[in-house]
Amino acid sequence: MAIPKEIKKINDYVWELPVSYKKGMNVPARIIVSEEMLKAVDDGVFDQVTNVACMPGIQKYSICMPDCHWGYGMPIGGVAAFDLEKGVISPGAIGFDINCLTKDSKILLNYGCYKKIKNFDNNFESDKISFMDLNNNSKKSSNAVLYMKKMPDNRVIKITTKSGEEITVTEDHPIYTGKEMINAGELNKGDNVVVHPFIGVEYSEPSDKIIVDEKDIIALVGDRPKLIVTLKEKGLLPLRENSDKLPILTKLLGFIMGDGWIGKNYNKNRKQDVWSTRVIGSAEDLETVRTDIRNLGYVTNYVTTKKYDSIVSEISGEKRNISGKSTQLYVNSQSFTVLLKALGMTEGNKSKNLSFVPEWVKESPLWIKRLYLAGLFGAEMTKPCQRKGEYKSFTEPSFSQNKILELWDNNYEFITDIINMLSEFGVEVNNIYNQKGVINKYGETTGKIAFRISAKIDNLINLWSKVGYEYCKKRKELSMQALSYLKMKRVILKESDLFVEEMKLIHNEGANNGEISILAQQNGHSVSQVLGRLYSNSKSSRACSDFPTFQQFIEKHTILNSEFVLDEITDIEEINYRDYVYDFTMNDENHNFIANSIVTSNCGMRLITTNLTLKEVKPKIKQLVDHLYMTVPSGVGCKGFLKLNDKQFDDIMVEGTKWCVDNGYGWDKDVWRTESYGKIEGADPQKVSQRARSRGINQLGTLGSGNHYLEIQVALKENIFDPVIASKFGINKEDQVVIMVHCGSRGFGHQIATDYLKIFNDAMGKYNIKVYDRELACAPFKSKEGQDYFSAMACAANMAFANRQMITHRIREGFSKVFGKSPQELEMNLVYDVAHNIAKIEEHMIDGKMKKVLVHRKGATRAFPPKHRELNPEYRPIGQPVILGGSMETGSHLLVGTQKAMDETFGSTAHGSGRTMSRTKAKKEFEGKSLLDSMIKKGIYVRSGSMKGLAEEAGGAYKNINQVVGVLDSYGITKKVVGLKPIGNVKG
Amino acid sequence: MKSYKFLDDVAIADIAFEAEADSLNGVFIACGEAVFETISDVEKVDKIKVYDISLKSDTLEKLLYDFLETIVYYKDTDSVVFNSCEVKIEEKDNNFLLKGKIYGEYINRNKHELYSDVKAITMHMFKLEKKGDNYKATVVLDI
């Protein structure tokens, strides 16, 4: 094989191809091998490592480990880091006690919209973020600077509540429980916590389209220079969609359309029309209106409360007496009123005049539409109501408008416009209906058109959590309580649905009704409901009889005078302190790139110890391997032992290892001893295609095939290179037996990669990216495609962690069965689980500065040094365990990460021994059956579903692992700890 | 005429093959057969399960990629191995339409001889070209 003549020796173990080697290289490429190994590096590697060096945003070097070989796209054994670019890191924008650290956390802003943390930009200070003023329970907003700074290594706790809210806070942050302030770290399950169930709609950047300009004003009122100057001075003319005062105006416009009046009188002295506005509402709400008008730069004139006593004439001829108090706010500013008119406010008596939902509202971003609707609903939408006798559900909220019969068509159009807008929020309307109106004071007959909003739980939740009411404190507060109540009910109903599904499974497997009744009782479900639903496909619609009524809920959960609601903690979970995800989410305008193909499925290694020795295991090795071969499914098309529903699969995508441990498939410590605690933040199952789901849902707990395996190994005395560290990792006995697992996220991760590969290939033109190899298709990290992939990849990574965890569970069960002792007695502790196919945001020193970069490792292992803050406290003094899987014949290694790896290779090292021969060739060279026999002679008992597959994995098709480890150790990017010899192997 | 051959010295961690045929339909079928053969011994698979497939793409290369990817998808989703396939490609309104059938059977470990699990079709070196009267494709499978 030809070594490129341009290659330059940097030192005994580092060889560099300069940027001049290939057109388009942004950085040099470095291959970490000994001189002898360099001669055997295959051609594909030189090509691929330099292809990667051409990718936009790559940092320092494109690196290849000593186990490198020709993969697809990036070479196997490849490491590359990509720039995230400096953007603002906003400690404050986490929010107050509604902060979350994951990038998709929704931060509520003051106009009822939210931004995902990741979408805050350099101007974050101008965003008004909502928070709860703990002194008076009111909701306020402020810019990020006022928020608590989040230290990077604070303990962070995720709290889940009865209503399904998730709140993430730092442990030292005081939380108002409704009674007192308690530090989050001291909270327990069952404690109360305060939540704000309103979500709002996602903020999107408004355009700079002009909505009202000078010409529009002149068309309305003629040339009135003073009025125009006033508007200009207040920054209201021209009024654009992105004017900072438009949100307030929209909200006011909606409210005044409902409960207000604008009009003009001709003033003879001034010889012109005089315009004014009146707003009707409760004194308290009008105060809020007044504040908003003041924020626009206007003075309101006065508030009056009048008694009224009027007679309403029904069409039937009946007359009704209506009396009460009406409070009105007067705004005599002409320019304010004219601006409202220009924005589309109906002038004069609304029942006699045309009303329209303004075109500019219909064309505006969703969050602006929401302001209009919420203002209008604050005036005209009915509050959350209950029917007599139905105290656990709500009636259909309704909205109506009266107009004289001649304007029926216009009225209908207005109503349908509102309904259409609602549908954009996922709010469905049941029906539109006509009602008899009244006779107005001019003696004209009016007709009422109304609509009812569907009272399905999800629909009401959408209405009240995304739209809600503005300028009507009472309805707003009540709707928040109703919202929290419904969310809680939804959680209960979902649990009940899940329980019934489980029972159906058990029932199909032979459980009788009696057994199911007992289970239902034990789990707090209604026996009759569960039994009834065993035979039907209906979803549950009724909550269990001990579920509280809304009234009972209010008594327990209301915070007086507040839109915040008391909720109860159902789960508390410590989230590890890494806030990389959060930090990067605050960045903006990154021109960085995530390369799809480089990362697939968080394929990785894990190592489990036992307290057994070779002497004890050897006699039972056949029994053990046969047992594991049966219980850990492997090979083409294998299915796992768990039947998951979609919700559970979603949870696994998000929770990773923790899901397994929570469901009884592992020990708490397993989470601790997994890279990133077995959970990559930011996973979003919505970014995963249905195709990937269907490929993956049956595969949890399976090995797969190819080079994946489960191996029983022994740490022979002569192979312990660093007894001190070995002992800290749990290897402290002569000839101690350990188990190594190598596998990934199976078809799931690969399908995700395939899906995004296609998307990226189509998108590259748009982003003007060219790559040498289509398998290196990529998209800017900050682009929608890049972010979507990152979220989907996190799902794959978490599924892979969970997969190895499930396999670990089976291994523990197997050993326990064969040796007649519990896994605890056998001390089957996880040493570590480490990924070697993954992209992660990490901090590295680049050009003398610490910088966040996106590190891609394809067939390369993270190798963090002692003191690295991402390591758990147990391993922090020692350094990260690194697991290197050799071929099934030659053995594997346990090593430890070093500072040198941080300095030279983005904290990375090799992942195995590396192939030297293609699979196709290996199948010609070796024959499965005779290989099996020769391995038995060497003392290795192997089970494999495929003889051809076995031949592909013959030791002779791989590099000598000792050479690979030798380079790593001598160069110093990882240090040898223990060499491990195989004695039994289940090959995928 | 159609044929495929596995390549010894390409993409050594995975499996690469070249397929050639004197028609477009033929080269698609040959690629399909190469994937089937990678997964298991096709001789031992009966034509019990039939998948009707219908795909559309704006380029022939993408159409081939989608076709092969569909095979991998059915393998995992339904746990099947394959025997053979039929393919008919048409060009319509600047798009290429593929209609076809894939024949296979649910995996039976006692009956079938399983080889390698194809995890994905890669775009590394992926190529479909016309050479003289023949069509030729190069594909690397992720194993």
Side-chain angles (χ1 to χ4, degrees), chain A residues 253-269:
Chain A
L253 178 69
F255 189 71
I256 295 170
M257 264 314 267
D259 275 345
W261 176 94
I262 66 165
K264 58 178 186 273
N265 288 307
Y266 186 74
N267 184 309
K268 281 181 194 159
N269 296 336

Side-chain angles (χ1 to χ4, degrees), chain A residues 473-489:
Chain A
K473 192 164 182 286
K474 276 193 178 146
R475 271 181 241 174
K476 190 176 203 168
E477 286 173 13
L478 188 64
S479 73
M480 299 297 268
Q481 289 149 5
L483 192 52
S484 199
Y485 178 75
L486 287 176
K487 283 183 170 182
M488 193 179 286
K489 188 170 166 186

Side-chain angles (χ1 to χ4, degrees), chain A residues 42 48 69-73 76 600 603 629 634-639 690-692 694-695 698-699 704-708 746-748 750-751 753-755 757-758 761-762 773-775 777 915-921 923-924 945-949 952 988, chain B residues 5-16 37-40 55 58-59 61-62 65-67 69-81 106-107 109 112-128 140-143:
Chain A
D42 56 82
Q48 294 187 328
H69 52 284
W70 188 350
Y72 47 87
I76 306 210
T600 53
C603 183
Y629 179 72
S634 61
V636 179
C638 57
K639 285 183 184 172
Q690 192 49 48
R691 226 173 154 86
S694 14
R695 265 185 83 181
N698 291 324
Q699 294 188 324
S705 81
N707 59 349
H708 292 158
R746 308 278 289 105
F748 180 62
H750 287 275
Q751 190 64 43
T754 297
D755 294 339
L757 185 59
K758 287 199 254 183
N761 262 307
D762 288 341
D773 180 348
R774 267 181 297 170
E775 188 68 25
R915 295 190 76 93
T916 57
M917 191 186 285
S918 75
R919 292 173 180 279
T920 305
K921 201 167 180 176
K923 274 185 283 200
K924 291 179 188 163
S946 161
M947 281 304 140
K948 276 201 180 181
E952 289 175 12
Chain B
K5 68 165 190 275
F6 291 101
L7 308 174
D8 276 2
D9 294 313
V10 175
I12 62 177
D14 301 295
I15 287 180
E37 184 61 39
T38 305
I39 299 170
S40 81
L55 301 166
D58 57 349
T59 71
E61 267 188 356
K62 280 197 212 167
Y65 184 90
D66 288 347
F67 169 61
E69 196 236 307
T70 302
I71 297 172
V72 174
Y73 168 72
Y74 285 131
K75 170 199 57 104
D76 276 352
T77 309
D78 289 354
S79 289
V80 287
V81 281
Y106 289 115
I107 293 175
R109 277 164 212 278
H112 299 132
E113 189 177 344
L114 304 172
Y115 298 155
S116 302
D117 196 4
V118 177
K119 293 175 193 161
I121 312 297
T122 80
M123 286 196 186
H124 180 54
M125 300 172 65
F126 191 84
K127 209 160 41 183
L128 175 62
V140 176
L141 305 175
D142 184 357
I143 300 298

Side-chain angles (χ1 to χ4, degrees), chain A residues 892-936:
Chain A
S892 302
H893 278 263
L894 178 64
L895 303 94
V896 67
T898 62
Q899 187 56 42
K900 180 98 175 182
M902 284 313 277
D903 299 341
E904 300 293 339
T905 55
F906 301 108
S908 313
T909 188
H911 83 307
S913 50
R915 295 190 76 93
T916 57
M917 191 186 285
S918 75
R919 292 173 180 279
T920 305
K921 201 167 180 176
K923 274 185 283 200
K924 291 179 188 163
E925 296 275 324
F926 306 101
E927 195 266 311
K929 187 71 182 64
S930 55
L931 184 66
L932 200 68
D933 294 342
S934 83
M935 285 177 67
I936 285 178

Side-chain angles (χ1 to χ4, degrees), chain A residues 607-612 673 713-717 719-740 827 829-832 875 881-883 892-895 977-981:
Chain A
L607 187 67
I608 305 146
T609 57
T610 68
N611 57 13
L612 299 165
R673 290 186 175 174
Q713 304 168 337
V714 56
L716 296 171
K717 196 182 168 196
N719 290 332
I720 296 187
F721 306 108
D722 188 331
V724 176
I725 294 182
S727 162
K728 295 221 161 112
F729 287 163
I731 296 173
N732 44 26
K733 244 183 175 179
E734 222 165 85
D735 297 348
Q736 190 174 337
V737 168
V738 299
I739 306 106
M740 188 176 275
E827 296 179 66
N829 296 314
L830 180 62
V831 176
Y832 209 59
Y875 291 148
V882 169
I883 304 161
S892 302
H893 278 263
L894 178 64
L895 303 94
V977 179
V978 181
L980 300 161
K981 287 275 164 223

Side-chain angles (χ1 to χ4, degrees), chain A residues 40 59 62 376 395 491 747 922:
Chain A
Q59 301 288 295
S62 164
L376 187 66
T395 59
V491 170

Side-chain angles (χ1 to χ4, degrees), chain A residues 648-820:
Chain A
Q648 288 168 319
F649 197 42
D650 277 2
D651 291 346
I652 289 165
M653 290 181 217
V654 176
E655 296 294 330
T657 308
K658 186 179 174 294
W659 184 91
C660 306
V661 173
D662 285 350
N663 285 277
Y665 303 107
W667 305 346
D668 288 343
K669 215 155 198 180
D670 296 344
V671 173
W672 197 245
R673 290 186 175 174
T674 301
E675 175 174 341
S676 298
Y677 302 85
K679 172 180 174 172
I680 306 292
E681 295 288 342
D684 181 356
Q686 304 229 341
K687 305 296 181 199
V688 172
S689 70
Q690 192 49 48
R691 226 173 154 86
R693 279 171 177 277
S694 14
R695 265 185 83 181
I697 196 158
N698 291 324
Q699 294 188 324
L700 192 71
T702 63
L703 262 185
S705 81
N707 59 349
H708 292 158
Y709 61 78
L710 177 174
E711 197 164 82
I712 300 167
Q713 304 168 337
V714 56
L716 296 171
K717 196 182 168 196
E718 66 262 31
N719 290 332
I720 296 187
F721 306 108
D722 188 331
V724 176
I725 294 182
S727 162
K728 295 221 161 112
F729 287 163
I731 296 173
N732 44 26
K733 244 183 175 179
E734 222 165 85
D735 297 348
Q736 190 174 337
V737 168
V738 299
I739 306 106
M740 188 176 275
V741 178
H742 175 212
C743 68
S745 58
R746 308 278 289 105
F748 180 62
H750 287 275
Q751 190 64 43
I752 289 173
T754 297
D755 294 339
Y756 281 94
L757 185 59
K758 287 199 254 183
I759 294 170
F760 285 7
N761 262 307
D762 288 341
M764 279 195 296
K766 181 167 80 179
Y767 296 116
N768 204 17
I769 303 168
K770 288 198 180 82
V771 288
Y772 275 96
D773 180 348
R774 267 181 297 170
E775 188 68 25
L776 287 176
C778 53
F781 184 51
K782 259 311 207 181
S783 68
K784 177 161 187 334
E785 292 89 347
Q787 289 292 298
D788 284 356
Y789 174 61
F790 199 67
S791 300
M793 184 211 74
C795 292
N798 292 337
M799 149 74 176
F801 286 132
N803 193 29
R804 292 193 288 272
Q805 182 63 38
M806 296 308 279
I807 291 172
T808 302
H809 176 71
R810 293 298 246 196
I811 292 170
R812 284 177 178 151
E813 282 182 340
F815 269 73
S816 179
K817 195 165 168 132
V818 172
F819 291 96

